[in-house]
Amino acid sequence: MTTSSVKGFRDILPEEAAGRRAVLATASEMLVAYSYREVELPLLEHGELFARTIGESTDIVEKEMYAFEDRDGSLLALRPEGTASLVRAYIEAGLSRSLPVARLYYQGPMFRRERPQKGRFRQFTQIGAELIGRNDAGADAESISLAADICSAAGVEGFRIEINSLGDQQCRPAYREALVAFGREHIAELCDDCRSRIERNPLRLLDCKVEGCRTLMGAAPMMGDQLCDPCRAHHDSVLEILDASGIEVVARPSMVRGLDYYCRTAFELIADGLGAQDAIGGGGRYDGLVAKLGGPDLAGVGFALGVERMLMAAGSQATDAGPEMLVAPLCAEAAATAASLARRLRQAGRRVEIGSAERRLKAQMKSADKTGVAFVVIIGEQELAGGSATVRDMAAGQDLPACFPLMATGAEAIAAMEGGGRDEA
Ligand code: AMP
C-alpha cells in the first residue's frame, strides 16, 4: 500500500517547477520596479486573526479554514490569505513609525478547504502586494496597474480587469439595508445558503453561483447607484488615472469580493478560457483594517494573484535547463578526479553532470546525447596516466584536438573546450 497526497494538495513536479519559478521571479522584478519590498510571513497564525479581519460569516472563516487546536490549547490556523498576516506583521514590527507609507509584498502558499476542481486547490500559491498608508485614488490605480503589469510580464494573455466600488461606512450601511430588504422580499426564490446570508452577510447574495440567485440578483439594488459623494469622486478619480495610464477596466456592479474588510475599490483580474475558476487575482481597498488589528488608523489597498491560475493562463512551457557537460569517468580510479573537475566546472558557471564509472562509455555517451549535453569530458586510465582529459564535442561528433589538463581551473578547462580546441583544429 502506498500513501497518496492529501486531496487538494498537489505535488509540483519538475515539469511545472521551472515555470513557477519564472513567474515568481518575473513578479518579483515587477514588484521591485514599483518599489515594493518583500516580507516573508509564517504559514501559521492565531485563528482569531482571520475571524477578526476576513469576517466571521464569510465562507473562508466558516467553512474553509484549516483551524485546529495546538497542544497547548490555543487555536491556530493555516493562513487562508496574506493581507491579514501582512498587516499583523506591519503592526507588530512597528513599521507604521518608520514606514507610514509602506509598499510590501509576499508570496507563498495559502490554504483553504474548498472543493477541489480545475484551477482550485486546497493549497495554492499567491503573490500579494499591499500599499499601506495612502487613501488617495492614485494608490488604488497603482495597485491595479501593478497587478496587471505582473500578469502581462508573466505571459498571461487575454485577461480583463473588472472593477467596482463597495462604498464606505457612510454609504454602505444604507445599501446593506436595501439588500436585506430585497432578499427578504424574494426569500422564496433564493437558495438555502443565500437565505441564511440575508441577515448575516447580505453582500454575499451578489456572489452566489446558483443560477436562480444570479438571475434574481440581476434585479437587486447595486452599490454603484448608492455611493456617497466622496466615494463616487474617489471611484471616478481611480478610473481617470487608470485611463490616463492606458489601463482598460470594465465595470462589474455586482462584484463584492469574499472578504468583509474591503471598502471602496474592489477589482478582479479575469482570464479568458480558464473555465469556472477564471479569476487570476483580486484585491481592493481596506481602510480601517490596520486600526481593526490594533494599529494606527491607516488606509490600505492591495491584491493577491493566484500563481497556479496565472500559469494556466500563460500556458508556460518553461523547463529547467539540462546539463551542458557530462564528465564521464571510465574506471573507479577516475571517480575522484571526475568529481573534482566537475566541481571546478560548476564553480566556473557550467551545468555539469557526472556519469557513473560503472557504466560503459557507449552508454554514457548515449545518455549525454539524450540530455542534449554539448561536451563529454572523458577520464579513463589513459587520461589519468597522461594527466589530461579527452573531450568529445557532441555537435561535431568527434574529439577535440586539444585536451586539457585534469588539474586545470574550471575557466581554463572551459576555454580549452569552447575555444582552444577548435582554434587549433
Ligand atoms: P482571493 O484571496 O480569494 O481574492 O483570491 C485571489 C486569487 O487567488 C484568486 O483570483 C485565484 O487566482 C487565487 N485563488 C484563490 N483561491 C484559490 C484556490 N482554492 N485554488 C487556486 N487558486 C486560488
Side-chain angles (χ1 to χ4, degrees):
M1 271 274 282
T2 54
T3 305
S4 65
S5 63
V6 177
K7 183 175 171 188
F9 289 71
R10 305 162 59 239
D11 300 306
I12 312 292
L13 297 175
E15 297 81 69
E16 197 185 332
R20 283 171 69 88
R21 227 174 29 243
V23 162
L24 293 172
T26 305
S28 295
E29 271 171 36
M30 190 57 73
L31 284 152
V32 169
Y34 272 77
S35 304
Y36 284 66
R37 297 199 296 164
E38 186 168 8
V39 177
E40 221 177 291
L41 299 161
L43 307 193
L44 211 55
E45 297 277 2
H46 291 293
E48 56 143 45
L49 175 69
F50 303 109
R52 271 169 78 188
T53 54
I54 298 173
E56 294 274 7
S57 53
T58 53
D59 282 353
I60 294 185
V61 171
E62 269 185 350
K63 305 183 199 157
E64 298 167 2
M65 213 154 68
Y66 282 95
F68 60 94
E69 210 173 89
D70 198 3
R71 289 171 195 272
D72 64 2
S74 54
L75 185 71
L76 301 179
L78 281 173
R79 61 181 187 186
E81 59 107 39
T83 304
S85 303
L86 187 127
V87 170
R88 178 205 48 71
Y90 175 82
I91 297 167
E92 200 168 335
L95 293 181
S96 59
R97 287 186 293 278
S98 53
L99 288 175
V101 173
R103 288 180 170 82
L104 301 168
Y105 79 93
Y106 58 84
Q107 52 190 36
M110 305 294 158
F111 306 86
R112 293 182 199 169
R113 202 175 190 289
E114 295 186 89
R115 194 170 50 78
Q117 63 181 82
K118 181 172 171 241
R120 190 159 76 188
F121 316 104
R122 291 181 169 178
Q123 176 179 329
F124 56 96
T125 311
Q126 284 188 340
I127 300 169
E130 314 292 351
L131 171 43
I132 299 173
R134 288 258 311 258
N135 58 13
D136 59 297
D140 308 46
E142 174 179 309
S143 198
I144 294 171
S145 164
L146 171 56
D149 282 347
I150 290 175
C151 288
S152 299
V156 177
E157 282 167 12
F159 65 90
R160 63 181 184 279
I161 305 165
E162 298 185 340
I163 192 167
N164 194 22
S165 175
L166 303 177
D168 64 4
Q169 308 98 300
Q170 296 308 312
C171 50
R172 194 150 59 176
Y175 174 65
R176 197 177 183 279
E177 285 315 308
L179 262 187
V180 171
F182 181 86
R184 283 188 195 137
E185 205 178 308
H186 296 276
I187 193 155
E189 296 151 74
L190 291 169
C191 72
D192 287 349
D193 274 350
C194 281
R195 281 183 198 164
S196 76
R197 282 176 188 141
I198 295 178
E199 313 291 333
R200 290 184 305 127
N201 198 345
L203 257 63
R204 295 304 308 280
L205 296 180
L206 291 159
D207 247 2
C208 185
K209 300 276 184 287
V210 175
E211 197 51 48
C213 298
R214 282 170 62 149
T215 313
L216 174 67
M217 293 314 286
M222 291 294 154
M223 184 69 236
D225 302 324
Q226 312 204 16
L227 294 176
C228 58
D229 289 345
C231 283
R232 162 69 44 215
H234 182 91
H235 195 59
D236 289 346
S237 300
V238 175
L239 297 180
E240 194 186 326
I241 299 169
L242 288 171
D243 185 49
S245 314
I247 297 166
E248 258 180 64
V249 293
V250 285
R252 175 150 58 98
S254 64
M255 186 201 306
V256 292
R257 310 265 312 129
L259 321 180
D260 272 3
Y261 56 59
Y262 286 116
C263 67
R264 292 194 167 173
T265 308
F267 61 95
E268 278 187 357
L269 287 82
I270 310 288
D272 298 332
L274 284 195
Q277 301 302 319
D278 59 357
I280 42 177
R285 176 163 282 288
Y286 48 81
D287 302 351
L289 183 65
V290 183
K292 199 168 186 180
L293 286 177
D297 188 14
L298 290 173
V301 58
F303 63 85
L305 298 171
V307 172
E308 288 78 11
R309 292 194 199 161
M310 284 171 73
L311 277 162
M312 283 165 68
S316 164
Q317 300 295 323
T319 50
D320 278 319
E324 299 162 282
M325 299 176 186
L326 171 72
V327 177
L330 299 188
C331 54
E333 297 73 40
T337 308
S340 143
L341 178 61
R343 183 160 184 246
R344 275 174 274 143
L345 289 166
R346 292 178 190 128
Q347 283 166 344
R350 295 303 148 130
R351 301 186 303 273
V352 184
E353 187 177 304
I354 306 184
S356 159
E358 282 171 20
R359 296 181 73 204
R360 290 217 305 270
L361 178 61
K362 204 168 155 200
Q364 296 202 47
M365 293 296 248
K366 214 166 159 189
S367 46
D369 210 33
K370 255 198 204 148
T371 48
V373 157
F375 295 101
V376 179
V377 180
I378 300 160
I379 311 175
E381 278 167 18
Q382 211 180 314
E383 284 78 11
L384 281 178
S388 65
T390 303
V391 180
R392 170 67 61 94
D393 179 338
M394 296 298 280
Q398 57 190 11
D399 294 347
L400 294 183
C403 299
F404 63 81
L406 287 175
M407 296 322 289
T409 64
E412 284 163 358
I414 289 162
M417 260 183 269
E418 293 183 344
R422 225 164 282 139
D423 284 351
E424 283 168 36

